[in-house]
Structure formats: C-alpha cells, structure tokens
Amino acid sequence: MGRPARHDADSLLDAAVRLVAAGGPKALTMAAVARAAGGPSGSVYHRFAGRPSLAAALWLRTVERFQAGFFAALAAGRPAGAARHVVAWCREHPGEANVLLYRADDFDREHWSDEERAALDAMNRRAVHALRDLGGDFDKVVLALVDLPSALVRRHLRAGGEIPARAEELVEETAVLILETCL
C-alpha cells in the first residue's frame, strides 16, 4: 500500500480559495497554488490538467457547497431562509464567498472541458428550477432570494470589512416582504 497523498485535490482547492480571496481570479495559477499549499507544482498538475481544470474545479466545488444550504432552505418550505443562508454561508466561508463575487467567466469558463461546462449548466438549471418552483413573479423571487442578499454581502466583502451582525435578519425580513407581494 502506497503512502497517502500529502496534497489532495481539496487541500489544493483550499489553497486556491485563499489565493483568489486575496488577489482575484488572476492570482490563480498552478505555481501559486503549489506554493500556497506548500507542495511541488507536480502535485497540482497530478490533480488538475491545467489552469482551466483547476479553475473549473474551484468554481464547481464552491457553487456546490453554497447551493447545498440554499436548496435545503427552499426544501424546508422557508424561501426567506434561503436569503438568510446567502449571508450566513458567506459569513462562515469568507474565502469561498470571495470566489463567488466573480463569475464563472472570470475563471476561464470558455476553456473548461465539455464535462465541466455541462456540470455548471446543470447547477445553474437546478437553481433556476428551484426558484421557479416557488411560483409567483420570478424576477421578484430572484431579487428577494439572490440579488439583495448577494448585494449586501458583496458590499462588505469587497470593502474588506465584516458582514454586519444583523445582516441575516435584514435580508430575511426584506425577503419576506418582497415574497408576500408575489407568492
């Protein structure tokens, strides 16, 4: 039995999160991830074929982790809880939240493999379907559960500040008010 890998995909992606949180998508290079993880660049190339593969893995893992709680709140019949989740998750995972301040296109989406682009498309479709399944005015639902909480988080994270203590409460209350008008 061989020895376990010191630098598995998750540890390399964790290093990538730190790099992107500090310097944006342009800071994401194979060599920078190797340095940040404290390993040889071969460890990164062993796990990811190149920067587009690394970027896709980072984006997809981050979106998947974020969406898990968002979908759980919707499934629990608490749509406004999904808005609250946006803020709570970003507070709990500021590095990954900084990744999501960008777009997949900022992570070379056009150079991802067909499978990676298909995985992202499936994630996006699932989110749209979940929001449409709530019924009502789709634009208002997106405003209440996605746009407003994301804007609140973005303002504070981009400024390098902390998300205010009352932020979850504020977005949930606002989401309830908006959803009452459209659901």
Side-chain angles (χ1 to χ4, degrees), residues 21-100:
K26 290 189 185 329
L28 184 65
T29 67
M30 303 295 270
V33 169
R35 279 191 307 275
S41 60
S43 292
V44 183
Y45 282 101
H46 180 71
R47 306 277 180 298
F48 306 101
R51 185 185 184 279
S53 175
L54 171 66
L58 172 63
W59 186 262
L60 294 171
R61 183 185 82 159
T62 305
V63 170
E64 181 178 31
R65 288 177 172 185
F66 168 77
Q67 284 183 342
F70 190 83
F71 291 139
L74 293 177
R78 298 179 31 250
R84 182 180 199 94
H85 167 74
V86 172
V87 176
W89 188 86
C90 290
R91 182 189 312 284
E92 240 178 87
H93 307 280
E96 289 177 300
N98 272 288
V99 170
L100 294 182

Side-chain angles (χ1 to χ4, degrees), residues 60 112-125:
L60 294 171
W112 294 5
S113 71
D114 291 342
E115 294 80 19
E116 291 160 341
R117 284 194 305 274
L120 178 58
D121 291 344
M123 291 172 153
N124 290 338
R125 275 193 308 277

Side-chain angles (χ1 to χ4, degrees), residues 1 5 7 10 21 23 26 30 38 89 97 111 113 117 123 129 135 137 156 171:
M1 178 157 134
H7 302 287
D10 274 330
K26 290 189 185 329
M30 303 295 270
W89 188 86
H111 296 108
S113 71
R117 284 194 305 274
M123 291 172 153
H129 289 302
D137 183 332
H156 295 286
V171 297

Side-chain angles (χ1 to χ4, degrees), residues 131-132 137-149 179:
L131 294 170
R132 285 200 188 284
D137 183 332
F138 181 72
D139 291 330
K140 285 184 178 181
V141 169
V142 171
L143 176 68
L145 304 185
V146 178
D147 295 340
L148 288 175
L179 295 173

